[in-house]
Amino acid sequence: MYPSRFRYEAPRSIDEAIQLLHEGAGEAKVLAGGQSLVPLMKLRFAAPELLVDINNLPGLDHLDVAADGGIRVGALCRHRDLERSLEVARAQPVMAAAAPLIADPIVRTRGTLVGSLCHADPQGDWAAVVTALGGHVVAQGPGGRRSIPITDFVTGPFQNVLEYDEVAVEAVLPAPRARVAGGFLKLERRVGDFATAGTAVALELDGDRVTRAGIALTGVGSRTVDARAAAEALVGQPLTAEAIGRAADLAAEVAQPTSDHRGSASYKRHVIHTFVTRILTRVTQTSEAAA
Amino acid sequence: MTSLFEEVPAAAAEGVPVRRITVRVNGTPRTADVEPRLLLAHLLRQGFKLTGTHTGCDTTNCGACTVLVDGLPVKSCTMLAVQADGHEVTTVEGLAGPSELHPLQEGFKDEHGLQCGFCTPGMMLAAKALLAENPDPTEDEVRFALSGNLCRCTGYQNIVKSVLWAAKQMNGASADEGSAE
């Protein structure tokens, strides 16, 4: 299957890319990893007139993990780089848990985290992770750069707030203020399939007390579900069985799954409940083992 | 009609935007004039007549079209040919030497790693990338590395065995070289 005909440009600078997008006047698309865009174009679900390939732009393939644990992921940083990064594994357990579960190993060679956020698939995995971590997306346009919290970035299925002449240049995960813990679990029918249901949990702990929590769900709504009430229920107290049960209840409650060929709505809700319980229980076990 | 796939110097049809690209395929530089929408898999198959690269599902699922781009596995049905400009591509045709098979090919033969054979090129290239990074993988590591490649005959058991066989062979060969020095 061929994509429909388009004009292809591979600019060498970000300014040139923005200029091209501006000229494209809304009929242009940015190509980074292409692991979602190219299949859509082959199926003719997407037919941009102009494709702006940013793979040759300098300075966008970075994966910076600062000493304070803050992480900056460039628009050309591949899933594979995240999966193999020891720094990421040390700094942020929820990212380390998610990276090997994104699509399949071959897709991870080319696909990018920032591209995944921009694609805004309701069943995307990274959006849940970045939401749980309270991250944001940095966009660059003719007027300069701006930072958009992930919860404002995605507006609906396959929709984001980027202007037509803006390029998402990086994702920023804030530095934690305390010890981090968390995890990511996803149910898929086979490797590389979209999530039937998935859960990202990011915690900060002072001793055994939770000081910050983020819980986000994928595959169970028209966009990533920010289970804020479930996360807030954990803050200020230790991870007791009771607290974990309450967070799992609240997360399952806020999920908005629909019944489809992957499972019924009630099944998916049950999966979310199980995943929240499992991730949080594992955190308590790890803490005990370390103590 | 001018083919979109013919190598230079065939001229493109009027009005069709083409780009001249140079790709190093299995060690040989190849030049082609391609339309931007041409997929790498099709450039390899129709353009360069390297039909060992199979297109199976055409939707980025099955991995039959897997080739190595700069040594890393890529689904060639999900990459534009123009994007390969200036890069190094290895297809299954690039595995065997002039007189002998690659250990992975020997392994698939010895351990009965293929049934219909359709997924085999993609499996071998994904395995080659794995062994380059991890020369002595466990069975689980092999299964994980090949999880983006589907075998519709469901012959996974022997495919995994074939890769482990090749790893052993390749490690043995390098150990022999080492002891000879």
Side-chain angles (χ1 to χ4, degrees), chain B residues 131-161:
Chain B
L131 297 182
E133 188 181 32
N134 179 2
D136 192 18
T138 64
E139 185 185 326
D140 281 351
E141 286 167 338
V142 172
R143 287 183 188 279
F144 184 74
L146 296 182
S147 58
N149 297 74
L150 302 183
C151 165
R152 291 305 189 197
C153 310
T154 67
Y156 296 106
Q157 211 64 30
N158 286 352
I159 291 170
V160 172
K161 273 196 215 162

Side-chain angles (χ1 to χ4, degrees), chain A residues 1-3 5-6 8-9 31 34-35 39 42 53 55 80 83-84 104-106 108-110 190-191, chain B residues 5 19 35-39 58 60-61 66 72-75 77-78 80 82-83 133 144 147-149:
Chain A
M1 285 174 289
Y2 283 94
R5 207 157 262 166
F6 56 84
Y8 170 87
E9 297 290 347
L31 174 66
Q35 300 299 291
K42 290 199 293 184
D53 182 352
N55 281 284
R80 181 189 169 88
E83 184 187 0
R84 282 165 173 71
D104 68 51
I106 305 176
R108 290 199 290 275
T109 304
R110 285 194 70 76
R190 56 172 169 73
V191 171
Chain B
F5 314 107
R19 291 220 160 205
E35 230 200 301
R37 62 176 171 160
L38 185 71
L39 301 166
D58 218 350
T60 330
N61 281 303
T66 301
L72 299 179
V74 162
K75 294 189 177 179
C77 82
T78 314
L80 303 172
V82 284
Q83 293 187 284
E133 188 181 32
F144 184 74
S147 58
N149 297 74

Side-chain angles (χ1 to χ4, degrees), chain A residues 88-264:
Chain A
V88 168
R90 277 189 212 111
Q92 202 42 267
V94 59
M95 291 192 78
L101 300 182
I102 308 295
D104 68 51
I106 305 176
V107 169
R108 290 199 290 275
T109 304
R110 285 194 70 76
T112 65
L113 179 145
V114 173
S116 168
L117 298 181
C118 291
H119 183 55
D121 191 314
Q123 291 169 316
D125 300 320
W126 280 128
V129 173
V130 175
T131 303
L133 286 169
H136 56 266
V137 176
V138 178
Q140 187 168 343
R145 287 193 171 199
R146 66 180 175 129
S147 187
I148 308 149
I150 186 69
T151 42
D152 298 337
F153 184 74
V154 178
T155 52
F158 307 102
Q159 288 171 329
N160 63 48
V161 296
L162 287 179
E163 296 292 337
Y164 69 86
D165 52 2
E166 279 183 314
V167 179
V169 289
E170 66 176 4
V172 180
L173 294 320
R177 298 204 188 115
R179 184 169 69 85
V180 291
F184 179 84
L185 287 173
K186 164 169 124 173
L187 180 70
E188 49 186 3
R189 292 176 305 172
R190 56 172 169 73
V191 171
D193 196 7
F194 295 103
T196 299
T199 306
V201 177
L203 300 178
E204 290 177 22
L205 296 148
D206 184 4
D208 67 343
R209 201 169 51 88
V210 177
T211 52
R212 190 204 157 268
I215 300 178
L217 318 173
T218 182
V220 289
S222 59
R223 49 187 275 197
T224 303
V225 176
D226 183 5
R228 202 164 286 183
E232 274 164 12
L234 294 170
V235 175
Q237 52 175 323
L239 283 175
T240 58
E242 197 187 345
I244 291 172
R246 175 146 176 76
D249 287 348
L250 288 167
E253 220 167 88
V254 76
Q256 297 166 315
T258 49
S259 298
D260 60 17
H261 57 293
R262 292 190 173 87
S264 67

